[in-house]
């Protein structure tokens, strides 16, 4: 084999030095901090393979590139007894554009077994992505053991049945669903990820998306505003009105939760959610209204802001940084907090201009639960259509920030997989791939303006090399020609948005 190697993500500088052939068994690795964080230089020659990393992570990413150069069988779990791989002789100099290159897995709406999460760590590593964000709690399930509050998982990790799809007709899977990770399971995931230079960011969602917690401990809810007692774990989708009560007792309870979370997750960032907190119960609750007056925070938004600021201070005092969905901007953003921007680019732009770090993950661009084509055969079509090409043309830094000092506050980007319509690993694979490959290139490489990106070249590299790697990894991706018959879910209704979606130019 000769010619240009197919690399995903594309490297900064690639110099073929002529020829190709087998390489020896020895790879010399060393660190040279002058290269910078996560950067590497890979040299492949017949008699010598060398990887110089700016740090250990850089060496690791260099090894991933060597794996890419070694053919699809390098992505199997054991070598096949074949002739040694033919590898192009070259030098690659490479460094990531963004420090935060993430994937969020929503393990709350549908639980994903520990083994499937570990597999996703391997899959992220192969794509040079370095953050795994676990959405651990939501209305439909609480997925992390908290030793001091056993009912969070005894009660909150299970629901009696599950809504199938989003729309009409209303269909149900009558099987109980649930599961949770023990703290040791999560320590194992964190350690496994760390070996692959991937950070795990835990998310405990508050004060909204808390119905599972309220089901487990009704005193967390606004008992004076609702007469039904414990609501039970939510069985269908959408946003629950059951939000946390804004009391000292609830804040203390969650300090207990976060105390245990910090023991399991050593990383800097801790995600506190903050999204889609419906304020109806707070408006009706005399306790919440008295709290607004007592704290002098003006209104319900001010109350949410008070809660977020409390946890910002609490985390900062323990050497951590808060990150939350862009609603944490409402009512004033806590200093030092970072923002995960999901609603268009608006919140991210505002946050960056105010000096806050931002991770860009607009739902209009990189929500992988959203449908991948207009085809009628797409399983449970939800959201806007994001094709592989759309994701390849996603630009994390919008024009309004580009070229300004605020652009440096965009510390990275993330693709999010919400799991209302993905009930198992095969469905997750289908939604995530091949789009995560395009996302990985966007997150790592400095690509031209979205209109000028060479999608044809990307697609060629997909066909010539990357689909075969995904096959070797046993990823149940969406084939370029559309779903396999067994990947379709006829009869299960979805809910598609038919509005214009492309947004990079709007901010
Ligand atoms: C919005 S993104 C949500 C999630 C849903 C998702 C579905 C965000 C912070 N909230 O609760 O699962 O849309 O795409």
């Amino acid at each position: 084999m000769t010619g240009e190697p197919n690399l995903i993500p594309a490297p900064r500088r690639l110099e073929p030095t002529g020829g190709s052939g087998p390489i020896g068994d020895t790879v010399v690795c060393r660190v040279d901090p002058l290269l910078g964080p996560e950067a590497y230089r890979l040299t492949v020659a017949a008699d010598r393979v060398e990887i110089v990393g700016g740090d250990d992570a850089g060496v690791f990413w260099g090894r991933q590139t060597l794996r890419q150069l070694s053919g699809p069988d390098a992505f199997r779990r054991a070598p096949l007894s074949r002739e040694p791989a033919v590898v192009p002789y070259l030098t690659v100099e490479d460094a990531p554009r963004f420090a935060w290159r993430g994937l969020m897995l929503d393990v709350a709406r549908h639980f994903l077994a520990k083994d499937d999460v570990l597999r996703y760590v391997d899959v992220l590593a192969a794509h040079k992505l370095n953050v795994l964000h676990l959405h651990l709690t939501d209305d439909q399930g609480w997925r992390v053991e908290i030793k001091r509050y056993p009912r969070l998982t005894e009660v909150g990790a299970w629901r009696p049945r599950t809504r199938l799809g989003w729309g009409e007709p209303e269909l149900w899977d009558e099987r109980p669903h649930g599961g949770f990770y023990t703290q040791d399971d999560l320590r194992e995931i964190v350690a496994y990820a760390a070996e692959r230079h991937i950070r795990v960011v835990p998310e405990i969602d508050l004060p909204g998306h808390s119905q599972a917690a309220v089901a487990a401990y009704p005193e967390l809810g606004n008992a004076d505003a609702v007469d039904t007692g414990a609501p039970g774990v939510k069985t269908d989708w959408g946003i629950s009105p059951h939000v946390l009560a804004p009391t000292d007792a609830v804040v203390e309870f969650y300090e207990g939760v976060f105390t245990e979370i910090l023991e399991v997750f050593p990383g800097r960032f801790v995600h506190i959610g903050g999204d889609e907190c419906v304020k109806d119960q707070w408006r009706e609750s005399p306790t919440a209204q008295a709290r607004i007056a007592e704290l002098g925070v003006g209104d319900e938004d001010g109350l949410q802001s008070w809660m977020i600021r409390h946890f910002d201070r609490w985390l900062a005092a323990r050497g951590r940084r808060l990150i939350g969905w862009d609603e944490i901007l409402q009512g004033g953003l806590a200093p030092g907090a970072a923002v995960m921007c999901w609603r268009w680019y608006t919140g991210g732009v505002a946050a960056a201009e105010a000096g806050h770090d931002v991770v860009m993950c607009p739902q209009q661009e990189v929500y992988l639960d959203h449908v991948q084509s207009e085809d009628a055969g797409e399983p449970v079509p939800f959201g806007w259509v994001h094709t592989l090409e759309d994701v390849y043309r996603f630009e994390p830094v919008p024009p309004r920030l580009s070229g300004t000092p605020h652009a440096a506050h965009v510390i990275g980007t993330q693709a999010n997989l919400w799991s209302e319509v993905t009930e198992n690993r095969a469905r997750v694979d289908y939604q995530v791939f091949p789009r995560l490959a395009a996302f990985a290139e966007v997150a790592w490489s400095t690509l031209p303006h979205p209109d000028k990106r060479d999608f044809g070249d990307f697609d060629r590299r997909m066909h010539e090399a990357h689909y075969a790697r995904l096959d070797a990894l046993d990823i149940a991706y969406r084939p370029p020609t559309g779903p396999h018959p067994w990947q379709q879910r006829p009869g299960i209704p979805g809910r598609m948005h038919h509005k214009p979606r492309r947004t990079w130019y709007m901010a």
Side-chain angles (χ1 to χ4, degrees), residues 106 109 138 209 275-276 325 342 363 367 369-370 382 418 420:
D106 168 9
R109 271 52 177 274
D138 213 301
H209 285 286
D275 58 317
E276 298 179 323
W325 301 110
W342 73 279
Q363 63 169 341
Y367 268 27
D369 50 322
H370 289 199
F382 176 75
W418 299 96
E420 290 96 334

Side-chain angles (χ1 to χ4, degrees), residues 372 429-430 433-434 467-468 470-471 475-480 484 487:
Q372 337 198 26
D429 278 3
Y430 182 90
F433 281 100
Y467 282 118
L470 300 182
D471 285 329
I475 292 174
Y477 57 85
R478 178 190 188 276
H484 293 297
Q487 291 176 318

Side-chain angles (χ1 to χ4, degrees), residues 445-483:
S445 308
T446 304
L447 298 176
H449 184 281
D451 284 346
K452 301 209 172 67
R453 290 186 191 169
D454 190 349
F455 176 71
D457 176 64
F458 174 80
D459 201 41
R460 180 184 59 77
R461 286 181 283 126
M462 286 299 296
H463 281 85
E464 286 179 5
H466 204 62
Y467 282 118
R469 297 184 193 122
L470 300 182
D471 285 329
L473 285 165
D474 199 17
I475 292 174
Y477 57 85
R478 178 190 188 276
T481 49

Side-chain angles (χ1 to χ4, degrees), residues 256-314:
V257 169
F258 281 113
T259 298
E260 295 191 26
I261 291 291
L262 297 194
E263 286 165 7
V264 175
F265 296 92
R268 197 85 207 283
F269 281 98
V270 175
H271 203 302
I272 52 80
D275 58 317
E276 298 179 323
C277 178
V278 189
K279 308 288 185 341
D280 296 351
Q281 291 188 350
W282 286 358
R283 274 188 281 273
E284 284 165 39
S285 155
T287 311
Q289 291 303 316
R291 206 73 223 267
I292 290 172
E294 177 201 330
L295 295 167
V297 292
D299 60 8
E300 291 77 19
D301 279 351
L303 206 49
Q304 160 146 355
S305 175
W306 162 79
M307 235 180 174
I308 302 296
R309 281 167 186 267
H310 174 87
F311 283 104
D312 180 54
R313 279 194 306 273
W314 191 90

Side-chain angles (χ1 to χ4, degrees), residues 379-460:
V380 208
F382 176 75
W384 285 287
V385 176
H386 307 318
T387 64
L388 180 62
E389 179 166 357
D390 290 333
V391 174
Y392 192 67
R393 294 189 194 281
F394 163 56
E395 173 47 51
V397 179
R400 164 103 181 240
L401 295 178
S402 181
T404 75
H406 305 302
H409 284 299
V410 181
I411 57 172
T413 181
Q414 188 170 286
N416 293 339
L417 191 272
W418 299 96
S419 65
E420 290 96 334
V421 299
T422 52
E423 69 280 13
N424 56 35
R425 162 180 144 170
R427 282 288 294 124
V428 172
D429 278 3
Y430 182 90
Q431 292 303 124
V432 171
F433 281 100
R435 293 182 293 183
L436 194 70
F439 175 79
E441 187 148 315
V442 167
W444 180 281
S445 308
T446 304
L447 298 176
H449 184 281
D451 284 346
K452 301 209 172 67
R453 290 186 191 169
D454 190 349
F455 176 71
D457 176 64
F458 174 80
D459 201 41
R460 180 184 59 77

Side-chain angles (χ1 to χ4, degrees), residues 22-88:
I23 49 174
D25 291 336
T26 312
V27 177
V28 178
C29 298
R30 65 187 169 84
V31 168
D32 176 357
L34 286 178
L35 286 182
E38 297 193 274
Y40 67 89
R41 184 172 58 238
L42 165 68
T43 308
V44 182
D47 58 341
R48 187 173 67 102
V49 177
E50 186 193 52
I51 300 172
V52 186
D55 50 20
D56 289 343
V59 171
F60 183 75
W61 305 132
R63 280 168 52 200
Q64 299 311 310
T65 296
L66 181 59
R67 187 151 78 126
Q68 288 170 306
L69 293 170
S70 306
D73 289 339
F75 290 80
R76 297 180 184 275
R77 284 182 194 226
L80 308 184
S81 41
R82 284 218 181 117
E83 297 292 298
V86 171
V87 180

